[in-house]
Amino acid sequence: MTPEQQGLLTKANRSLEAAKTLKQEGFYEFAVSRAYYAMFYGASALLEGEGLSFSKHSAVISALGERFAKNNRIPKYYHRYLIDAQAQRNRGDYNIDPNISESDAQLLISRAEIFLTFIINNIDSI
């Protein structure tokens, strides 16, 4: 694992912890945003291992699909988790009334935990 990957995974874990805290305090729309970023940083760490870095979120999501999900280096549903998380994050960050529930936040946090655990446990062999 490169220092850049380690830094991204550290940031991912901190985002996940922030998501849990925000959910616990009732800030569900902000919790989904942090859970998304946890997954985004994890995906970025994988791509960093390929020598790839992107400034646009859509490029990270697309590259994860092309480089890792399409050829089964990661389960395809992890790519779907990231796509769905981005949609929730956009709703939470940009809608005046995002209508995000506690269960929505918990689902995204659970998915982020699963996604990150897989990456952390397999980053050197993916």
Side-chain angles (χ1 to χ4, degrees), residues 36-103:
Y36 161 74
Y37 273 101
M39 287 189 257
F40 174 80
Y41 296 136
S44 296
L46 283 179
L47 294 165
E48 178 67 35
E50 303 276 299
L52 300 171
S53 178
F54 301 96
S55 59
K56 295 184 77 173
H57 288 241
S58 59
V60 168
I61 294 167
S62 178
L64 182 74
E66 285 295 316
R67 293 278 186 146
F68 292 93
K70 190 175 184 178
N71 56 17
N72 296 311
R73 291 173 69 190
I74 65 170
K76 287 180 173 50
Y77 59 86
Y78 289 148
H79 184 233
R80 173 52 52 196
Y81 282 3
L82 185 60
I83 292 167
D84 293 347
Q86 185 192 35
Q88 291 271 22
R89 175 233 166 198
N90 286 339
R91 205 170 97 209
D93 283 355
Y94 300 113
N95 289 8
I96 292 171
D97 183 15
N99 194 27
I100 293 175
S101 69
E102 180 178 7
S103 62

Side-chain angles (χ1 to χ4, degrees), residues 5 19 24-26 32 34 36 38 51 75 83 91 115 117 121 126:
Q5 287 176 306
Q24 189 174 36
E25 295 297 321
V32 299
R34 286 291 92 201
Y36 161 74
I83 292 167
R91 205 170 97 209
F115 185 80
T117 298
N121 290 336
I126 297 175

